[in-house]
Every structure is written in structure tokens, then in C-alpha cells.
Amino acid sequence: MTKAIVIRSLGGPEVLKLEDVVLEAPGPGEVQIRQAAVGLNFIDVYFRTGLYKTELPFIPGKEGAGIVTALGEGVTEFAVGDRVAYASADGAYTAERNVATRHLVRVPDGISLETAAAMMLKGMTAQYLLLQTYQVKPGSVILFHAAAGGVGLIAGQWAKALGATVIGTAGSQAKIDLALAHGYDHVIDYGKEDFAARVRELTDGKGVDVVYDSVGKDTFPKSLDCLKPRGLFVSFGNSSGPVEAFNMGLLAQKGSLFATRPTLFAYIATREALDACANSLFDIVQSNKVRININQTYPLADAGRAHTDLETRKTSGTTLLIP
Ligand code: NDP
């Protein structure tokens, strides 16, 4: 047996309940791990509320790190005692679990398991957004919404290291100050200011090359007004609710824009892609150009409180659940 958070009905944070669950031996192609930490992500909220669909009951969470304690049949690429982490394996909110090896990477010696659990999903997201969806380079001018969040603080530092001018948005003065200390050149309080008008001012009327928008409903379609002609709109989240259907003609009206709606899971779907993305993240963290801020830690049993704090915009940086 082990302890896990189980969701038996969709709803608010109160549906996250700690239970004793059976831990089977690892199946073929799986390893068993004892988790040091579990990463909290906004996607966990979407599954809890039912915005993203899955079958009930389920153990939420996609990200964690721990030590391999047993090997299933046919596993040769990992050994008992290995330090491993993952960002795409459903069922993370638990003390011990089985994971298919296709999700796993080995954590380098210089990186703690807690840091790995905090950064795999958010850090690999920053990686593909800045280096694959669009190639940020010296001279690029970008807008990144929710700059002080988990993905936001990593992306700001990484984009600065790539030589970009980095504009962010955040919802309070404390978050603005935090983002300014993590790579952002300018941070706009989007609760108080017209962020599109301010972006125009900051770019001498030109607009930015790319907008990274995880806020969704509340920042659309205004995010399109921040772009230069033929700029790229990257919609990658729904923190305020999903973007509603819109007429493609809007992209023509706003300047022949491009738009994409990516997910991390499509960018790490093969072993080669996962290793390349994870190694790129490990390299930038080990170079100290990107620091991982674990700003909130909760016992696994308090996952409901952690969800409340994330949804009510009380958190900044990354958040861990400790089994
Ligand atoms: P964050 O730590 O960034 O938390 C979300 C932040 O969004 C809040 O802190 C808040 O910052 C801002 N926000 C704006 N409006 C709202 C609202 N109405 N309700 C709640 N928050 C709001 O979370 P994560 O780092 O875990 O994820 C960031 C976003 O990126 C999420 O939307 C997530 O779904 C998305 N994502 C997408 C991935 C993909 O591949 N497509 C992968 C990983 C994450 P403030 O107070 O400053 O406004």
C-alpha cells in the first residue's frame, strides 16, 4: 500500500482526498519509484475541474522525481537506486508509484530531486516555447504573460540568456518585482494598465515578435494587438479560462499574424525529443543562467490548499507537494 491523492468526483479543491491505495509490482517496461517530491502544475487544476477530460476515479499530477526501487520485466536502461524525474506520466500525487520508462530521464548529480520535481514540466515548457515553437535569439522582442508564475520565472531568465528583450505581465507589485529580478526588462500590471497600449509604447509602436499567452480568456484578443505584422501568437494555457472560438479573419485584420496552440506532450513524445528537451533544461540550470524558485511547499495531504493558492493567484514561481 501507499498514500495517494485520489479524485473520485470533479469539482473544487475539496475533491482532492488522501487515501491508502494498492501499489502493484511494476509491469513490463515500468520501474517503481519512491518519490522525493511532486510538482504542482496548472494542468492539474484543469483535470480536477473537468476542463480536460479523464476517467474517474484518478490520481492527479504529471510531474515528479524520486529514486528507482524496483524494475519491471525488460527494463535495462534504468537501475535500482537511479535518481529519475518525469513530466508527462499521469498519477503523480502519490508517495510511491510505477512509471513507464518512456517518461523518465536520469537527474544529473548537481540537481536535487526537489529541483527536478519543480522544473521538469515548467522548464521543458519554457524550452520548447523559446527554442522550438519560436526561436528566440539576440534582438528578439517577446511578451510573456504571467511572468512571475512557475513557467514565467523560468522563461524570463532563459529568454534573457538568449539575448531577447523580455516584456512580462503580472498581477501585483510583489510579482512585478520578482519578475524584474528574473530576466524581465519590463513588467506590466495587467490588472491596472492596458497592456497592449503599454507594449506599443515600450516598442516604439512596433509591437513584439511573439506573445506567449497562458492566461487565455482574459488576455484574448488583446494579446494580438501586441504583435508586429506577421508576428506569432502562442496560446499555451487557460489560467483564466479557455480562449473562445474566433474567426480566422481576425489574424488577417491584426496584421497577417500566425497563431499556434502547442502542448509540451507533443514536443517530448519520442525518447530523442524528451532527452534533447530535458538535457537543454539541465544545461541551462547547471550553468546558473536559470534558477528554479521553489516558492511554496505543501505536504501531499494538503494538495487541496495548494490548488486553492495556485487558482487564487497567491503563488509565484514553482510549487512542490511532499509525500
Ligand atoms: P502559474 O504559476 O503561472 O500560475 C498561473 C498564473 O496565471 C497566476 O499566478 C496568475 O499570475 C496568472 N493568472 C492570470 N489570470 C488568472 C486567473 N483568472 N486565475 C488564475 N491565475 C491567473 O502556473 P504554471 O506555471 O503551472 O502554468 C502557467 C500556465 O502555463 C498555465 O496556464 C498552464 O496551463 C500553462 N502550461 C501550458 C503548457 C503547455 O505545454 N501548453 C505546459 C505547462 C504549463 P498573476 O497573478 O501574475 O496574474
Side-chain angles (χ1 to χ4, degrees), residues 42 46 125 128 149-151 170-171 175 190 214 236 239 262-264 313:
F42 222 96
Y46 307 146
T125 298
Y128 87 76
V151 180
K175 288 187 176 186
Y190 51 6
S214 65
F236 73 103
S239 300
T263 72
L264 170 64
R313 303 165 81 158

Side-chain angles (χ1 to χ4, degrees), residues 4-312:
I5 296 286
V6 181
I7 294 184
R8 295 194 173 275
S9 59
L10 302 176
E14 71 284 352
V15 303
L16 297 159
K17 298 221 170 76
L18 194 70
E19 293 188 12
D20 290 315
V21 298
V22 174
L23 181 68
E24 311 273 3
E30 291 183 340
V31 301
Q32 190 162 96
I33 63 175
R34 189 171 58 246
Q35 304 211 105
V38 173
L40 177 72
N41 291 286
F42 222 96
I43 194 169
D44 307 345
V45 173
Y46 307 146
F47 278 105
R48 193 204 73 219
T49 58
L51 178 65
Y52 292 0
K53 309 291 175 216
T54 193
E55 272 179 35
L56 290 166
F58 67 97
I59 298 174
K62 289 197 172 280
E63 180 182 40
I67 308 268
V68 175
T69 52
L71 305 180
E73 193 188 312
V75 173
T76 53
E77 65 276 39
F78 292 95
V80 170
D82 279 355
R83 301 163 72 248
V84 294
Y86 60 89
S88 56
D90 291 330
Y93 284 23
T94 176
E96 290 171 274
R97 66 169 302 180
N98 299 323
V99 196
T101 55
R102 67 175 186 281
H103 297 294
L104 291 177
V105 293
R106 248 184 224 91
V107 178
D109 286 345
I111 295 178
S112 72
L113 289 176
E114 287 73 16
T115 298
M119 78 178 188
M120 293 308 296
L121 198 153
K122 298 163 200 80
M124 289 199 291
T125 298
Q127 201 283 347
Y128 87 76
L129 290 173
L130 300 174
L131 290 160
Q132 301 189 62
T133 303
Y134 184 85
Q135 286 175 344
V136 173
K137 49 188 182 301
S140 300
V141 184
I142 76 169
L143 173 65
F144 210 102
H145 284 301
V151 180
L153 282 189
I154 296 173
Q157 298 172 82
W158 205 329
K160 183 49 40 190
L162 291 168
T165 297
V166 195
I167 305 173
T169 57
S172 69
Q173 191 56 49
K175 288 187 176 186
I176 289 172
D177 293 343
L178 191 63
L180 288 170
H182 289 82
Y184 289 87
D185 297 292
H186 312 278
V187 185
I188 304 163
D189 186 335
Y190 51 6
K192 292 197 177 134
E193 274 192 275
D194 176 341
F195 69 81
R198 185 81 185 108
V199 166
R200 288 278 157 199
E201 257 173 49
L202 290 168
T203 57
D204 297 326
K206 294 193 188 83
V208 300
D209 296 297
V210 52
V211 175
Y212 294 105
D213 190 335
S214 65
V215 173
K217 192 163 183 266
D218 287 357
T219 42
F220 189 83
K222 195 169 264 196
S223 283
L224 302 181
D225 296 326
C226 301
L227 284 162
K228 69 179 193 189
R230 290 183 284 139
L232 176 65
F233 174 60
V234 183
S235 172
F236 73 103
N238 328 279
S239 300
S240 67
V243 172
E244 277 161 27
F246 65 94
N247 185 329
M248 291 285 276
L250 192 61
L251 300 178
Q253 275 170 34
K254 301 280 182 186
S256 278
L257 303 177
F258 293 83
T260 181
R261 201 327 182 173
T263 72
L264 170 64
F265 311 111
Y267 283 82
I268 56 169
T270 64
R271 169 51 59 190
E272 294 69 32
L274 171 60
D275 284 345
C277 195
N279 287 337
S280 173
L281 173 63
F282 293 145
D283 287 348
I284 193 99
V285 169
Q286 288 185 300
S287 75
N288 290 322
K289 289 181 184 151
V290 169
R291 284 167 289 139
I292 304 300
N293 297 71
I294 301 172
N295 288 357
Q296 300 79 214
T297 300
Y298 305 80
L300 180 62
D302 284 350
R305 191 158 56 86
H307 274 224
T308 300
D309 290 351
L310 183 63
E311 283 175 280
T312 56

